[in-house]
Amino acid sequence: MAEVKLDCMYETCPIPLLKAHKKLQTMKVGDILIMETNHTCSITNVIEWAKKQGYDADYIEIREGEWEIYIEKVK
Amino acid sequence: MASNRIEELKKRRQREIKKKKSQVPVGVTFLIFALIIYAIFLATDFKSSMFWIIGLLFGIVLQRARFCFAASFRDPILVGNTSILKAVIIGLIIMTIGFGIIQFISIGDSQDFDIENIPGYISKVGMHTVIGAILFGTGMVIAGGCVSGTLIRIGEGFILQIVVLVGLIIGSLISAKYIQFWDKCIISKTHVVYIPRYIGFSKAIIGQSILLLLIYFLADLYHKRNNIMK
Amino acid sequence: MKVYDTILKKPWPYWVGGILLGVLNVILLLETKTSWGISTGFLGWGVYILEKFGFDPSKWHYFVMNRNTFEIGETFVKNHYTILILAMILGSLISTLLASEFNWKRIKNKKQLFFGLLGGILMGYGARLSHGCNIGAYFSAIPSFSLHGWIFGIFMFVGAWIGCKILLKFIL
């Protein structure tokens, strides 16, 4: 039940998504991925993708234009 | 609905975060500035005022909807998501009907019309279109945004996209400087293909709408079936 | 507050964007007889800069074969493309500020810089060769019933596929 951090600051589309995919494959079921990103598209792009894969996902804004995305590997 | 653990995490992090500064006053200032320019254009040149206000709205809509043409082409290939592509197709269907009616009104029933006078974006088609599109598509994916996306991201504060803009200017100049070669071997031999000229307006509008709808449903099917990354 | 958040803070669904962009482009065509286009404006800016350095690009073959690149009364800088480009950047800035999401985002590394510039040049080159970018030669061209819009759209997929290969191999 670990929390894994992933730094995606200053990355352009679609690198955050691909990085998240790579990281999630190494994680165990029940782990939560915490992505930090400042790319405006990621909060729609990554969340939509994660939900489509069947993961739980949500985000909050931590600073102006910077977000933390949470993805729980449920299966 | 996100799971309980994510909700917990969100609450915990929310407490740690300092209150954000509101940028709304600055935004309103820029909005007023934009509207003053609109008023000046409106008083001097109606056409320019139209380009200005619609341009502003294009910018706002693209930014608010996170609309990215690059993603509409890239995501189906990369992750099998077609939600943006479907949104683009919806737009295309609306415009097919709108543009069709406008074009029909402006040239009427007559069969011999001058292509130059038709409102819209009509151009020669040939191998140069194919080569240009492939180069454009490749550039769009590696630069992380298409032309409209680049402009939107400059507005969002991405410095990288200013570099892309410089690249766009350089690329345009190189292309225009050496276009003679392409003109000689390809472009001058190609023609404009304006679909209503061959099949008439009603068939063109209805046919294209049906074709786009068909592509929409195929994209939808692809979206549901596909999980390339698995 | 809740209405404000829904409209100006949370991202809109993509389909809302699609509908609005379509409607706006139809209004633009109806009122000005010109549809949405962008990339020709970049050529104009480039030509203007070269002129400042003493070159004479307006004699290039490109402007011989495309006599009406810019409409009557328009110059390389003062034209409707420039108005659209500046308005779009300003619109995006306003929308970002109203959501309190603006910050400067620096370039991460040299690789990003290199691929950004290369991608830009490829896009610029491709756009001039096929007379338009993803907006002019695709989003405005398909509804104009010009076959080049369809061809451009289809082969943009081929380009995007090549781009994805490069992306996975070199950038990730």
Side-chain angles (χ1 to χ4, degrees):
Chain A
M1 300 293 175
E3 284 165 12
V4 184
K5 288 225 171 197
L6 181 63
D7 176 26
C8 291
M9 294 291 280
Y10 308 106
E11 297 282 18
T12 54
C13 242
I15 308 292
L17 199 161
L18 296 173
K19 271 189 161 179
H21 170 70
K22 230 177 176 177
K23 199 83 188 176
L24 276 161
Q25 282 183 328
T26 67
M27 287 162 54
K28 286 198 273 309
V29 173
D31 290 355
I32 290 186
L33 180 69
I34 304 175
M35 281 171 77
E36 202 177 329
T37 176
N38 62 356
H39 199 283
T40 31
C41 296
S42 293
I43 55 168
T44 51
N45 206 351
V46 174
I47 299 269
E48 193 201 15
W49 165 80
K51 285 187 175 160
K52 198 185 157 198
Q53 304 293 106
Y55 304 136
D56 271 328
D58 209 346
Y59 68 94
I60 60 165
E61 193 179 5
I62 51 167
R63 273 179 293 276
E64 299 86 31
E66 287 173 20
W67 295 270
E68 257 179 16
I69 300 175
Y70 308 112
I71 303 173
E72 185 178 354
K73 193 169 179 179
V74 284
K75 56 174 188 192
Chain B
M1 215 38 231
S3 72
N4 294 335
R5 286 186 56 212
I6 289 182
E7 287 299 324
E8 257 171 54
L9 203 62
K10 266 171 71 183
K11 269 189 205 132
R12 200 182 75 208
R13 286 293 283 145
Q14 212 101 52
R15 259 176 272 138
E16 289 166 14
I17 297 162
K18 278 178 279 171
K19 204 145 175 51
K20 291 184 285 279
K21 274 192 219 126
S22 171
Q23 296 173 340
V24 176
V26 191
V28 172
T29 314
F30 274 106
L31 184 63
I32 292 168
F33 170 71
L35 291 176
I36 290 172
I37 295 182
Y38 177 57
I40 295 171
F41 272 136
L42 206 56
T44 52
D45 179 6
F46 173 75
K47 236 179 158 183
S48 298
S49 78
M50 213 57 215
F51 286 121
W52 180 254
I53 194 77
I54 298 279
L56 282 171
L57 290 170
F58 273 142
I60 292 169
V61 171
L62 285 166
Q63 203 281 330
R64 287 282 69 229
R66 306 287 192 265
F67 212 83
C68 181
F69 285 91
S72 81
F73 285 94
R74 182 196 63 212
D75 285 0
I77 298 168
L78 216 51
V79 291
N81 267 4
T82 58
S83 42
I84 310 185
L85 183 65
K86 284 191 294 190
V88 172
I89 295 170
I90 295 173
L92 287 174
I93 294 173
I94 291 171
M95 290 189 295
T96 295
I97 298 163
F99 277 38
I101 294 168
I102 294 169
Q103 289 183 347
F104 179 73
I105 290 169
S106 80
I107 53 175
D109 257 338
S110 70
Q111 269 302 306
D112 72 333
F113 40 74
D114 195 359
I115 294 283
E116 302 239 322
N117 296 331
I118 301 166
Y121 208 107
I122 296 152
S123 188
K124 287 178 172 180
V125 55
M127 262 325 275
H128 64 284
T129 320
V130 173
I131 299 164
I134 292 175
L135 291 174
F136 189 91
T138 310
M140 168 176 89
V141 172
I142 63 174
C146 55
V147 170
S148 63
T150 301
L151 298 178
I152 296 316
R153 282 180 195 136
I154 291 173
E156 286 175 343
F158 282 93
I159 309 228
L160 176 71
Q161 258 63 32
I162 296 175
V163 176
V164 179
L165 186 79
V166 173
L168 274 165
I169 295 174
I170 297 171
S172 300
L173 284 174
I174 298 172
S175 187
K177 174 100 171 85
Y178 300 106
I179 202 84
Q180 202 155 7
F181 164 75
W182 295 106
D183 190 31
K184 210 175 268 169
C185 59
I186 300 174
I187 303 173
S188 60
K189 292 172 194 142
T190 56
H191 302 279
V192 167
V193 178
Y194 180 60
I195 299 163
R197 165 163 278 178
Y198 304 97
I199 57 173
F201 267 104
S202 46
K203 272 185 200 153
I205 296 173
I206 295 166
Q208 185 157 295
S209 303
I210 291 171
L211 182 61
L212 285 166
L213 271 175
L214 201 70
I215 298 170
Y216 181 93
F217 286 115
L218 282 176
D220 197 47
L221 207 68
Y222 181 79
H223 185 85
K224 282 173 186 148
R225 288 256 177 99
N226 213 299
N227 261 332
I228 284 181
M229 285 203 148
K230 278 205 172 145
Chain C
M1 223 39 223
K2 214 165 174 201
V3 180
Y4 187 91
D5 274 2
T6 318
I7 299 175
L8 291 168
K9 183 78 186 156
K10 274 198 215 126
W12 295 348
Y14 293 129
W15 57 268
V16 173
I19 292 174
L20 289 175
L21 291 178
V23 171
L24 284 172
N25 205 1
V26 171
I27 297 172
L28 191 68
L29 186 74
L30 187 69
E31 294 290 336
T32 65
K33 299 273 167 271
T34 313
S35 54
W36 190 14
I38 300 172
S39 57
T40 310
F42 298 135
L43 178 66
W45 294 5
V47 166
Y48 178 80
I49 295 166
L50 284 188
E51 275 181 344
K52 287 279 163 229
F53 281 101
F55 296 94
D56 193 6
S58 56
K59 289 216 179 75
W60 286 355
H61 183 71
Y62 183 88
F63 295 102
V64 178
M65 66 185 260
N66 302 296
R67 276 195 194 79
N68 39 11
T69 303
F70 299 103
E71 285 166 33
I72 300 151
E74 290 187 338
T75 67
F76 290 122
V77 177
K78 272 194 201 159
N79 54 54
H80 71 274
Y81 296 105
T82 304
I83 297 177
L84 275 171
I85 292 167
L86 295 180
M88 279 172 67
I89 296 175
L90 188 60
S92 160
L93 176 67
I94 290 169
S95 151
T96 311
L97 285 168
L98 290 180
S100 298
E101 283 173 358
F102 186 86
N103 61 8
W104 288 106
K105 297 162 185 82
R106 63 181 164 82
I107 296 167
K108 193 176 185 188
N109 50 32
K110 281 195 186 126
K111 198 160 80 175
Q112 212 182 40
L113 184 79
F114 171 75
F115 279 104
L117 194 63
L118 180 69
I121 292 173
L122 282 175
M123 278 198 281
Y125 193 93
R128 277 309 97 231
L129 191 58
S130 47
H131 282 222
C133 58
N134 64 313
I135 302 298
Y138 168 65
F139 201 63
S140 289
I142 290 182
S144 301
F145 303 102
S146 177
L147 189 66
H148 89 290
W150 282 100
I151 302 294
F152 194 80
I154 290 164
F155 284 95
M156 241 156 92
F157 268 112
V158 178
W161 183 80
I162 299 169
C164 287
K165 291 279 162 218
I166 297 172
L167 194 81
L168 291 171
K169 194 151 189 196
F170 298 103
I171 305 180
L172 188 67

